[in-house]
Amino acid sequence: MEKVRYPKIIYLTILLLSVLWCGGVILAPVLAGGHYNYVSDFLYSFYAKSCHQLEDRSLTIGGYALGVCSRCTAIYFGFLMGTIFYPFFKLLRNTELPSLWIIVAAAGLVFLDVITDVTGIHKNTFVTREITGAVLGLVLPFYIIPGTVLVFHEYFNLPDKSASSGV
Amino acid sequence: MNQLNKLSAVLIATSIMLLVSLFPGLNIINLFCCAGIIAGGAGGTTYYIRASRRAGLEVGNRDGLMIGLLAGIISAIIYVIASTLIIMYSSVNPVEMVYKFAEDYGIEIPPESENLLKMVYDDYQRQGFSFLMIGIELFTRIISHCTFGAAGGLLTVSIYNKRMSSRSTDV
């Protein structure tokens, strides 16, 4: 019974963390300009470590840009969606990763979108940035969740008999 | 399970994270979801996997996660110390740069932020650094470096073990 419990705890922790992460992205513009502006400043400063936050490349709420650019927003919200839908496709105790080609293809799409824009071959748009970002975000939980479950199996020396895809 | 010492791997991961975060130009990499930090975690873990393979030892997901986490914490602390020293010795008040940036891009600074900026500005003028900014920087850096560093380490081991298991089933 013990074994069944902590994949669920790991899943809920990852879900909670990604809800908090995505919540902060939305809260930054929502709290901007009001009484809680200092919270908004803190959130913008927090996300500045991982995003350029250029206004012309960001979605806005009430005239204020989200905490991160449109591509990062798509990746983070894609990750949240992927995490929410994960139990519908895999068992929580699953430790088997999907084919590596899926993550390679998803990362490749983002890379292609960036490279074609930088080289001037094709200027990317909000749509291409969001689609490619969301695809990468959606597939990531299918690698991160089984990987984290396996970490706990290793720490508590549980035999890895539960490696079933559950599809 | 026998394991190699992770010190070298953590140092390599930390060095990559710091190199990408501290050097102007290179730090642009981090603007894509902390790609430099993910690369640091992945780099250190790749070194560890290779060393373990040479020694005939197995590598678990926890090793990658641990290397990424430790390197994330160490690099965040060193980053904050280094950037604070750079600001102190360059005798530039970073708040002045914030005002200049806001002016150049026509951004209006709200009164609530203005008060905070004034406080931080006075700190920098008086002592060359601000405890508030160091605290905020350390907190945000530790969270982002640990999250993305651990993700880099974890994904590297997961992918490596997946490749190894698919190779063994092919044979």
Side-chain angles (χ1 to χ4, degrees), chain B residues 87-101:
Chain B
I87 290 170
M88 281 174 78
Y89 283 99
S90 64
S91 61
V92 172
N93 191 325
V95 181
E96 281 172 4
M97 287 157 69
V98 173
Y99 280 119
K100 194 179 175 310
F101 180 83

Side-chain angles (χ1 to χ4, degrees), chain A residues 32-53:
Chain A
H35 287 300
Y36 298 101
N37 201 68
Y38 58 94
V39 181
S40 168
D41 286 345
F42 171 77
L43 288 169
Y44 278 120
S45 141
F46 174 74
Y47 291 111
K49 309 288 178 285
S50 58
C51 182
H52 52 71
Q53 299 178 321

Side-chain angles (χ1 to χ4, degrees), chain A residues 52-83:
Chain A
H52 52 71
Q53 299 178 321
L54 293 174
E55 278 195 38
D56 57 338
R57 283 180 169 247
S58 305
L59 301 168
T60 57
I61 294 179
Y64 293 99
L66 292 185
V68 289
C69 71
S70 60
R71 192 194 305 280
C72 292
T73 304
I75 292 174
Y76 298 148
F77 279 84
F79 188 91
L80 177 62
M81 286 296 120
T83 307

Side-chain angles (χ1 to χ4, degrees), chain B residues 32-48:
Chain B
F32 178 69
C33 291
C34 277
I37 305 301
I38 296 173
T45 306
T46 304
Y47 168 83
Y48 185 77

Side-chain angles (χ1 to χ4, degrees), chain A residues 122-157:
Chain A
H122 175 259
K123 284 282 158 203
N124 62 27
T125 61
F126 269 95
V127 176
T128 61
R129 288 196 292 268
E130 276 165 26
I131 290 174
T132 54
V135 169
L136 180 60
L138 270 171
V139 303
L140 274 173
F142 291 83
Y143 295 85
I144 297 280
I145 296 171
T148 314
V149 170
L150 197 57
V151 170
F152 278 75
H153 281 312
E154 288 166 1
Y155 266 113
F156 296 104
N157 282 324

Side-chain angles (χ1 to χ4, degrees), chain A residues 21 34 37 41-42 46 49-52 71-72 75-76 97-98 100 110 143 147-148 150-151 154-155, chain B residues 30-34 60-62 65-66 110 112-113 137 139-141 143-144 148 154-155 158-159 162-163:
Chain A
W21 196 279
N37 201 68
D41 286 345
F42 171 77
F46 174 74
K49 309 288 178 285
S50 58
C51 182
H52 52 71
R71 192 194 305 280
C72 292
I75 292 174
Y76 298 148
L97 265 60
L100 295 181
V110 175
Y143 295 85
T148 314
L150 197 57
V151 170
E154 288 166 1
Y155 266 113
Chain B
N30 274 343
L31 296 183
F32 178 69
C33 291
C34 277
N61 281 23
R62 64 176 178 176
L65 188 83
M66 199 49 77
E112 293 84 2
S113 302
E137 189 70 13
F139 177 74
T140 55
R141 284 270 163 199
I143 291 180
S144 57
F148 291 102
L154 185 69
L155 278 174
S158 297
I159 289 170
K162 169 87 180 169
R163 277 181 64 191

Side-chain angles (χ1 to χ4, degrees), chain B residues 41-101:
Chain B
T45 306
T46 304
Y47 168 83
Y48 185 77
I49 289 170
R50 287 190 175 169
S52 298
R53 258 180 83 178
R54 277 198 296 273
L57 298 170
E58 279 182 30
V59 181
N61 281 23
R62 64 176 178 176
D63 300 318
L65 188 83
M66 199 49 77
I67 291 166
L69 270 178
L70 287 173
I73 294 170
I74 298 167
S75 65
I77 293 169
I78 297 176
Y79 177 91
V80 172
I81 294 170
S83 58
T84 305
L85 288 174
I86 290 168
I87 290 170
M88 281 174 78
Y89 283 99
S90 64
S91 61
V92 172
N93 191 325
V95 181
E96 281 172 4
M97 287 157 69
V98 173
Y99 280 119
K100 194 179 175 310
F101 180 83

